[in-house]
Amino acid sequence: QVQLVESGGGLVQAGGSLRLSCAASGHTFSSYNMGWFRQAPGKERDFVSAISSSGSITDYADSVKGRFTISRDYARNTLYLHMNSLNPEDTAVYYCAAGSSIGTWRRGVYRYWGQGTQVTVSS
């Protein structure tokens, strides 16, 4: 029912910034809690950030708190991840997801997933 398409990844120098976007199809975007996850080569997929359906509650992994900001644009059915002060440890494929609960959204169980976008941070 919901299609998610990430974009905005690329190559950036350490200390730089990127904004990832996740465009959602359909007309029920506002009903879903949404999140961002990332997976580095040879590693497990890890929680990055999440936002409630209303946008009033946000959550961040300790590794990105203070550097990344999650937001959503209801008019454009789009989820964003603003990433600042990037370092090489942020290099990963970033995935957006929709349809978890606030109580479990860190665990990676969502109804829908995007295809991912590559973020590479050089030293």
Side-chain angles (χ1 to χ4, degrees):
Q1 184 69 25
V2 175
Q3 305 290 327
L4 304 173
V5 180
E6 300 96 333
S7 62
L11 176 64
V12 63
Q13 294 185 160
S17 299
L18 284 175
R19 187 184 75 171
L20 305 184
S21 299
C22 175
S25 67
H27 305 282
T28 59
F29 174 74
S30 63
S31 69
Y32 293 107
N33 299 324
M34 301 190 70
W36 288 97
F37 287 74
R38 66 187 183 185
Q39 187 168 24
K43 301 184 70 175
E44 298 288 292
R45 183 169 57 191
D46 290 330
F47 170 77
V48 176
S49 185
I51 187 167
S52 63
S53 58
S54 70
S56 62
I57 303 171
T58 58
D59 192 18
Y60 299 92
D62 289 343
S63 59
V64 307
K65 185 165 293 187
R67 299 189 297 122
F68 291 10
T69 302
I70 190 169
S71 62
R72 59 197 301 167
D73 185 329
Y74 297 93
R76 294 196 285 183
N77 279 5
T78 301
L79 176 75
Y80 298 103
L81 185 68
H82 298 257
M83 306 186 295
N84 299 316
S85 301
L86 287 162
N87 59 64
E89 291 69 48
D90 296 314
T91 295
V93 176
Y94 284 71
Y95 299 89
C96 68
S100 188
S101 68
I102 293 175
T104 60
W105 64 16
R106 283 176 168 255
R107 293 163 57 183
V109 181
Y110 289 73
R111 292 180 64 185
Y112 308 102
W113 289 87
Q115 85 290 346
T117 185
Q118 175 70 231
V119 172
T120 303
V121 184
S122 62
S123 301

